Amino acid sequence: MSDELVNAIAEMQEDEALALVKKMLTSGVEPTIVLEDCRKAMELVGQRFEHNEYFIPELILAGELMKAISDEVKPYMNQSVDVKKSGKVLLGTVQGDIHDIGKDIVNFMLDVNGFEVKDLGVDVSVQTFVDEVKSYQPDVLALSGFLTLSYSSMKETVEALKASGLRNKVKIMIGGGAVDEQICTYADADAFGKDAMAAVALAKGWTGG
Ligand code: B12
């Protein structure tokens, strides 16, 4: 069934994809498997975009479809994990970047795993992150970014926190798209996570949650 879902999403067959997701979830397939299929499908969409087979409208459609699927998956995640608030996470997509599908998955995975999450949305300015770290006092700051240009926004955000004397008060994790260890070193974050489960594992590791 998995390949079917990957293909339906990548081919923009919206109704078929949603029907398959519902069928998988009601027949007991783990929600994380559905999300992994979505990730594979988005990789295909990205490749087709790079090869000029897909254009911006397809990216938008894929984005909307991912959001609809996330809404289907969310209630199943809630059922599968025990809820106890174990720390505060401040989350946002960095300046210049409006990709939020991955961030939203990170948000709900942290939420269902017991974290209080404040989501600042997309294209969040460096100053907003600094102000919010000051007032919300999160245990963890989670920066998301999918564009190459987001790496410098991540670095600038960390630098601004250092300049404000807040850097040592918060653990910083970064993620999204092609973010890796190298970007983590470049931005001087504490860790990077390749997916939402990694985000949860990092946050738990830091808060003892
Ligand atoms: C959908 C999409 C869009 C949609 C976004 C809709 C939305 N609401 O988010 C729209 C149409 C708006 C869009 C716009 C653009 N896009 Co776009 N987009 C994509 C696409 C196809 C999928 C991204 C996605 O959502 N994937 C699904 C999620 C679930 O993926 P995921 O990485 O597995 O997510 C996990 C991890 O990233 C991790 N994670 C995420 N955040 C965090 C944070 C932390 C702290 C941690 C630990 C983990 C973590 O957890 C997630 C869940 O498990 C990608 C291609 C791709 N393969 O990624 C291109 C892609 C990212 N886009 C690209 C481009 C170029 C653009 C545009 C510049 C196009 C244009 N010319 O206008 C604009 C940029 C607008 C802007 N300023 O941001 C390029 C980026 C190239 C680059 N290196 O800079 C890509 C890679 C496509 C490509 N191959 O060329 N895009």
Side-chain angles (χ1 to χ4, degrees):
M1 198 188 276
S2 265
D3 276 355
E4 253 184 279
L5 178 59
V6 174
N7 291 333
I9 300 172
E11 297 296 328
M12 310 282 146
Q13 290 161 352
E14 219 173 326
D15 293 343
E16 195 184 327
L18 276 170
L20 275 169
V21 167
K22 285 181 188 156
K23 199 165 132 195
M24 287 168 85
L25 292 169
T26 51
S27 63
V29 173
E30 279 293 316
T32 48
I33 292 182
V34 175
L35 292 179
E36 177 55 20
D37 286 352
C38 291
R39 194 196 55 75
K40 284 186 203 154
M42 290 310 229
E43 225 170 79
L44 286 177
V45 172
Q47 283 163 10
R48 289 176 192 179
F49 176 71
E50 270 176 61
H51 298 140
N52 294 322
E53 292 162 30
Y54 280 173
F55 300 94
I56 301 292
E58 281 85 3
L59 287 192
I60 295 173
L61 202 65
E64 284 169 359
L65 182 50
M66 272 301 300
K67 280 191 190 288
I69 294 176
S70 298
D71 287 345
E72 292 295 331
V73 171
K74 197 169 180 178
Y76 288 85
M77 308 288 307
N78 274 326
Q79 274 174 18
S80 55
V81 210
D82 143 51
V83 186
K84 176 175 86 27
K85 297 291 170 217
S86 49
K88 291 204 282 185
V89 182
L90 183 67
L91 168 71
T93 301
V94 296
Q95 193 163 297
D97 196 326
I98 61 163
H99 293 84
D100 64 0
I101 300 166
K103 168 184 71 61
D104 289 350
I105 296 174
V106 169
N107 184 346
F108 81 66
M109 287 298 282
L110 285 166
D111 180 34
V112 300
N113 278 281
F115 289 90
E116 180 183 316
V117 184
K118 182 165 185 182
D119 185 348
L120 299 176
V122 297
D123 190 16
V124 179
S125 73
V126 170
Q127 193 56 47
T128 303
F129 277 121
V130 172
D131 293 345
E132 290 286 341
V133 167
K134 210 177 281 170
S135 58
Y136 183 60
Q137 301 187 342
D139 302 289
V140 179
L141 173 63
L143 303 176
S144 182
F146 280 74
L147 299 175
T148 308
L149 71 78
S150 71
Y151 308 154
S152 40
S153 298
M154 289 172 177
K155 186 180 171 71
E156 284 164 28
T157 304
V158 178
E159 272 168 6
L161 287 168
K162 282 182 195 162
S164 315
L166 296 163
R167 175 66 183 93
N168 295 329
K169 300 198 184 309
V170 68
K171 285 289 185 186
I172 304 178
M173 61 178 171
I174 60 172
V179 167
D180 61 11
E181 195 62 61
Q182 226 182 322
I183 313 300
C184 183
T185 307
Y186 166 74
D188 202 13
D190 292 304
F192 88 97
K194 69 171 177 37
D195 57 26
M197 278 320 292
V200 171
L202 286 169
K204 281 192 171 170
W206 286 326
T207 60

